[in-house]
Amino acid sequence: MDRRRFIASTGAAAAGAFLINPVSGMATQRRRASTAKKRLGLVGTGVRGIGMYGRDLLRNYSDYVELVGLCDTNPGRLRVASEAIGAGCPTFTDLEEMIRKQQPETLIVTTEDRTHHEVIIKGMEMGCDIITEKPLTIDEVKAQAIIDAEKKYGKRVIVTFNYRYPPYRAKMKELIMEGMIGDVTSVDFHWNIHHGHLQQYMMRWHGESNRGGTLWVHKSTHHFDMANWFINSEPVQVQAFGTLERFGGKGPFRGKNCRNCAHTDKCPYYWNINENNWLKSLYADNEHYDGYIRDNCVFRHQIDIHDKHSAIVKYANGAYLNYSLTADTDFDGYWIAFNGTKGRLEARVLGYPRKDHIDLVFTPVRVYNNRQPEVIQVPFASGGHWGGDPIMNDKLFKDPDMPDPLGQQAGVRDGVMSILIGIAARKSVAQGRPIDIEGLTDLKPMAVKPAFI
């Protein structure tokens, strides 16, 4: 019986029960729903935590999950987040206290990247399964600590690689798995970030490598995980080049932050956070608690990440990845091409910046096989991250037993292998030589990527 027929038949059975005894039937259903709800705790109440794992979670999955606690080290931001989410649950500035008092079954981690490992490990130690935002963490030492903790405590850790889930990419994975182009031998993958997108990174903690691990880790973890997933193998060596050409110390002037700057009339990156009531209330009005500035100067000397990136990755199955992240451009989008033993597959997403958003155009997937090109139209899907978020969240929160034929759900090993490419790239730029993946942690790269179960 397929899933739709199953849902229809069980729905009919439930309706029959209500007709026999509507009052007792409804009461029974309420009790079942209440006892079946998974207890969730959320740590980190920034924009991502509030939106995707707060309001959206309650709006779309309140029949399946219950948010039993919110935690953040900033009490002011925590208060604003609690009101915005509307969960009505207790709030905490101490993680251990929240877990001890509220006993969540699963902890959702959306804190600053450098603290992911602390929250993940503490959560497992106190009996929680983990759902964590990418990147898993920012360096190999922290990654090894997570690997060790997962083995020690035996808890389940899921990394939310929502870039695997959009139907457009799922179709590419499906075609590759079906052997349309044979075995993948090399991949060309080039991603562009628009100026406005990069500006927001540079204003926040992401511009400082000790907090976000550089864009090689924070942003490219998505891209490297996609490559690992598509190729179905694990990386063994990385050679990379990178530089910072426009921001940080390269800038012609600098101020305390955008709100307190003498150069606003000539700075191309001037942005007034006070004109955005939501961000002002969440960040600017609460920065006195912890000193976190949301509109930092993009030319501050603390910025030490790259805005131009290029890397070659060798995989355990012999495939090569040619990758670039151009993070300072007037264009937003990506181009990916797979060369295989029986053909070639190409896909392109074009981004056209507008005043307050970017219009995306998904070109048809093209397969060149035996010199006969095949054009495959993939229907556009609504929802966050190009339609990927609803699919990922359905499996996370609504139907954990949902079949996963494409292997889209990801665990610790997936998270580690994606960031190790970024970490190795970072080291390669600094040292001017190729960096081996083996030895960064105790995970040995495998020719066929192990499935996450």
Side-chain angles (χ1 to χ4, degrees), residues 155-167:
K155 306 306 294 184
R156 184 174 176 83
V157 180
I158 294 173
V159 184
T160 53
F161 282 127
N162 46 12
Y163 275 29
R164 294 185 181 191
Y165 286 87

Side-chain angles (χ1 to χ4, degrees), residues 103-175:
Q103 299 183 351
E105 300 168 73
T106 300
L107 209 58
I108 300 175
V109 182
T110 60
T111 62
E112 190 174 310
D113 293 353
R114 65 174 173 175
T115 66
H116 280 188
H117 70 294
E118 296 174 353
V119 179
I120 290 169
I121 293 171
K122 177 57 66 175
M124 287 194 287
E125 178 188 344
M126 297 186 70
C128 299
D129 289 326
I130 306 294
I131 295 173
T132 182
E133 260 296 316
K134 62 81 194 167
L136 180 66
T137 186
I138 65 171
D139 63 44
E140 68 274 26
V141 176
K142 296 177 178 64
Q144 186 63 57
I146 294 173
I147 294 168
D148 294 340
E150 185 188 38
K151 293 176 182 176
K152 179 177 180 180
Y153 300 114
K155 306 306 294 184
R156 184 174 176 83
V157 180
I158 294 173
V159 184
T160 53
F161 282 127
N162 46 12
Y163 275 29
R164 294 185 181 191
Y165 286 87
Y168 189 71
R169 294 178 192 146
K171 173 54 72 174
M172 287 188 270
K173 175 67 172 177
E174 180 183 328
L175 294 171

Side-chain angles (χ1 to χ4, degrees), residues 51-94:
M52 184 170 173
Y53 299 108
R55 286 183 301 207
D56 288 356
L57 194 66
L58 294 183
R59 182 184 299 120
N60 301 319
Y61 301 98
S62 59
D63 288 342
Y64 309 96
V65 299
E66 179 183 6
L67 200 54
V68 299
L70 301 176
C71 183
D72 198 294
T73 56
N74 186 308
R77 191 161 61 239
L78 183 60
R79 182 172 55 253
V80 174
S82 179
E83 293 174 358
I85 293 171
C89 62
T91 61
F92 301 85
T93 56
D94 182 88

Side-chain angles (χ1 to χ4, degrees), residues 202-274:
M202 294 299 180
M203 283 183 164
R204 300 175 296 190
W205 50 264
H206 307 77
E208 301 167 28
S209 60
N210 66 330
R211 302 177 73 175
T214 74
L215 293 184
W216 282 115
V217 173
H218 175 82
K219 181 62 177 176
S220 296
T221 185
H222 266 317
H223 311 153
F224 295 141
D225 176 70
M226 284 171 59
N228 296 348
W229 179 58
F230 282 131
I231 297 171
N232 197 37
S233 187
E234 294 183 332
V236 296
Q237 192 177 71
V238 180
Q239 172 77 67
F241 302 90
T243 189
L244 178 65
E245 294 184 331
R246 186 183 293 245
F247 298 92
K250 302 287 185 177
F253 45 75
R254 53 199 47 82
K256 182 179 179 181
N257 54 47
C258 273
R259 285 164 291 158
N260 301 281
C261 183
H263 310 287
T264 57
D265 59 333
K266 56 185 176 182
C267 180
Y269 299 106
Y270 172 63
W271 174 66
N272 188 351
I273 190 173
N274 290 325

